[in-house]
Amino acid sequence: MIGKLKGLIDSYGEDFVIVDVQGVGYVVQCSSRTLQRLPKTGEAAALSIETHVREDAIRLYGFLSDTERDWFRLMQTVQGVGAKVALAILSTLEPGALATAIATGDKAAVARAPGVGPKLAQRICAELKDKAPSFGHIDAGVAELAGALDDKRLPQPIADAVSALVNLGYPQAQAVAAVAAASRAAGEGAGTAQLIRLGLKELAK
């Protein structure tokens, strides 16, 4: 099994790169985000590799970090998510943003990836929600607030403030994080208007 490749960039394709390792060219499939961040042809590069062995083919998938590779593996534990969909999600969201989106139940963010419909995005968020914090630096309070929002356990002013920020066009993950910070700053008993005002200040930072 190949776990890492270090060599020179030989050439690029639409969704892959060929890495020359001491004269042997390895075809490595990558997310568009990874391809954009790799160096020019002829320059040195190192990629974390996930090897998939099938009866008819051996495929290599390349990542700039072990965290990105871990997400690639984790997402494929969800029914309906194969390598192609996992790469599409990682092309749309970098690992930190993906962890936050899943931890806060931001299904719309996950559904922006090609080939991911609302039902699949919901399944990904639901099944990976508890695992997301260990795959990214996520405020435990934010994750808890997101869980309470999903279970409709939030005090009405907080729920209304999150809803208001989402309606203003902010992604749910950002809205939840902003209201969580606003709630901590304002203390218990804060009203919806105050939470919205403080939340907007957080978002403007």
Side-chain angles (χ1 to χ4, degrees), residues 138-163:
I138 299 167
D139 187 319
V142 172
E144 185 180 340
L145 192 151
L149 182 64
D150 276 353
D151 298 339
K152 296 181 172 55
R153 291 185 283 109
L154 281 179
Q156 202 59 45
I158 294 179
D160 288 345
V162 171
S163 178

Side-chain angles (χ1 to χ4, degrees), residues 97-117:
L98 177 60
T100 300
I102 290 175
T104 58
D106 191 352
K107 299 178 282 292
V110 179
R112 290 207 315 268
V116 180

